[in-house]
Amino acid sequence: MPTFSSQASSIILFGPPGAGKGTQAVKISQSTGKPQISTGDMLREAVNRGTDLGNEAKGYMESGQLVPDSIIIGLISERLKQPDASDGVLFDGFPRTIAQAEELSRIAKVSTVIMIQVPDEDIVKRIVGRRMDPETGDIFHVKFRPAPEEIVARLIQRKDDNEETVRSRLNAYHQQTKPLSEWYSGLSERSDLRIISVDGRGSIVQVSESIRRELEVS
Ligand code: ADP
Ligand code: ADP
């Protein structure tokens, strides 16, 4: 059995690109007190700073492929050493491959996997309309979550949020990430891991409510 520095348990937010993981993570992080760890945000920060790791990851991200497991596992292992991770964390966009999940099971205890289900045709609309506030990190959508008028001018669109790259990202999701849902379902049958499956097609508020209700039942 692996030993952990702390038995505090973590939560995974799982779903396709654009499912609403980042949007929901903010609320779940507030209600559980667990810090949000988004590998996508960490990678984008490394790309912007021009670090070696960022330069290595950049091409994969821009073409919609997954960044190699060794890079991601290195990032996560370092992040989990920070003091704020000692009571468990909320993983957003990690793990994305079975190799990442296997490594995670060696270094942290996961109590809950929240799976947000959204069909591919909705994903494209969500991703193409996504806009980010570079000052606060807030996530908006031109139609589904419009930003206040006074900040619209400073919003940015992620370089990989275009229709062509979305197709590659969805492909990577179906090939490499989706099999993880079976992997975690199997694990939940032989452990106390809890799987919460949520219909992600409702409004942002409806999805938050479904997650909140399910988390309360624990
Ligand atoms: P992910 O982190 O899974 O990639 P985001 O949270 O960034 O997804 O959401 C992707 C886009 O979809 C954003 O523009 C966000 O505002 C929007 N969005 C999130 N949840 C919903 C929802 N339930 N209905 C409609 N749009 C949503
Ligand atoms: P989204 O959920 O909207 O696809 P993310 O911000 O989570 O966006 O990820 C953006 C990109 O960063 C991914 O397309 C991939 O290239 C890379 N990435 C993020 N997390 C991982 C991960 N756990 N494993 C491999 N690549 C990752």
Side-chain angles (χ1 to χ4, degrees):
M1 281 295 283
T3 48
F4 307 119
S5 54
S6 155
Q7 284 305 306
S9 53
S10 295
I11 300 174
I12 293 172
L13 254 178
F14 181 88
K21 300 182 297 295
T23 302
Q24 298 300 334
V26 175
K27 294 171 207 238
I28 302 169
S29 181
Q30 278 165 0
S31 67
T32 60
K34 295 185 191 295
Q36 172 188 358
I37 295 187
S38 156
T39 40
D41 287 347
M42 292 166 83
L43 290 166
R44 274 184 292 279
E45 200 190 317
V47 170
N48 290 338
R49 291 211 321 265
T51 63
D52 289 347
L53 189 151
N55 292 336
E56 206 181 333
K58 194 173 176 198
Y60 295 101
M61 296 171 77
E62 286 179 1
S63 63
Q65 289 173 268
L66 291 186
V67 170
D69 289 334
S70 56
I71 296 185
I72 301 292
I73 289 165
L75 265 181
I76 287 286
S77 312
E78 282 308 305
R79 181 63 184 84
L80 289 179
K81 289 180 191 157
Q82 301 294 315
D84 68 337
S86 60
D87 288 336
V89 304
L90 175 65
F91 292 109
D92 159 13
F94 170 86
R96 264 170 146 105
T97 62
I98 289 176
Q100 291 177 19
E102 283 173 343
E103 183 58 26
L104 179 61
S105 70
R106 285 189 272 273
I107 58 175
K109 177 169 165 55
V110 174
S111 63
T112 313
V113 180
I114 303 171
M115 298 187 177
I116 307 182
Q117 319 277 1
V118 180
D120 287 7
E121 57 270 24
D122 293 346
I123 291 299
V124 179
K125 289 184 220 146
R126 287 194 186 181
I127 286 198
V128 173
R130 172 162 53 191
R131 299 292 183 273
M132 316 289 292
D133 181 348
E135 283 184 23
T136 60
D138 285 347
I139 308 165
F140 294 99
H141 189 283
V142 289
K143 196 159 152 205
F144 306 134
R145 192 185 178 218
E149 185 87 46
E150 61 275 19
I151 68 161
V152 167
R154 71 172 192 234
L155 298 185
I156 53 162
Q157 183 168 20
R158 270 168 50 178
K159 214 169 177 177
D160 58 343
D161 277 352
N162 57 72
E163 201 155 334
E164 194 190 330
T165 308
V166 173
R167 301 280 168 206
S168 317
R169 283 155 68 193
L170 273 173
N171 204 22
Y173 172 75
H174 287 292
Q175 305 268 333
Q176 293 165 278
T177 307
K178 186 89 207 316
L180 260 184
S181 57
E182 297 295 313
W183 192 88
Y184 274 119
S185 299
L187 187 61
S188 75
E189 281 163 22
R190 50 196 153 80
S191 70
D192 58 2
L193 173 71
R194 184 156 177 243
I195 309 271
I196 293 176
S197 188
V198 173
D199 183 348
R201 288 172 304 176
S203 68
I204 293 174
V205 172
Q206 285 169 330
V207 177
S208 300
E209 271 302 299
S210 310
I211 295 176
R212 191 187 58 77
R213 266 198 313 272
E214 292 284 344
L215 279 176
E216 271 175 7
V217 184
S218 55

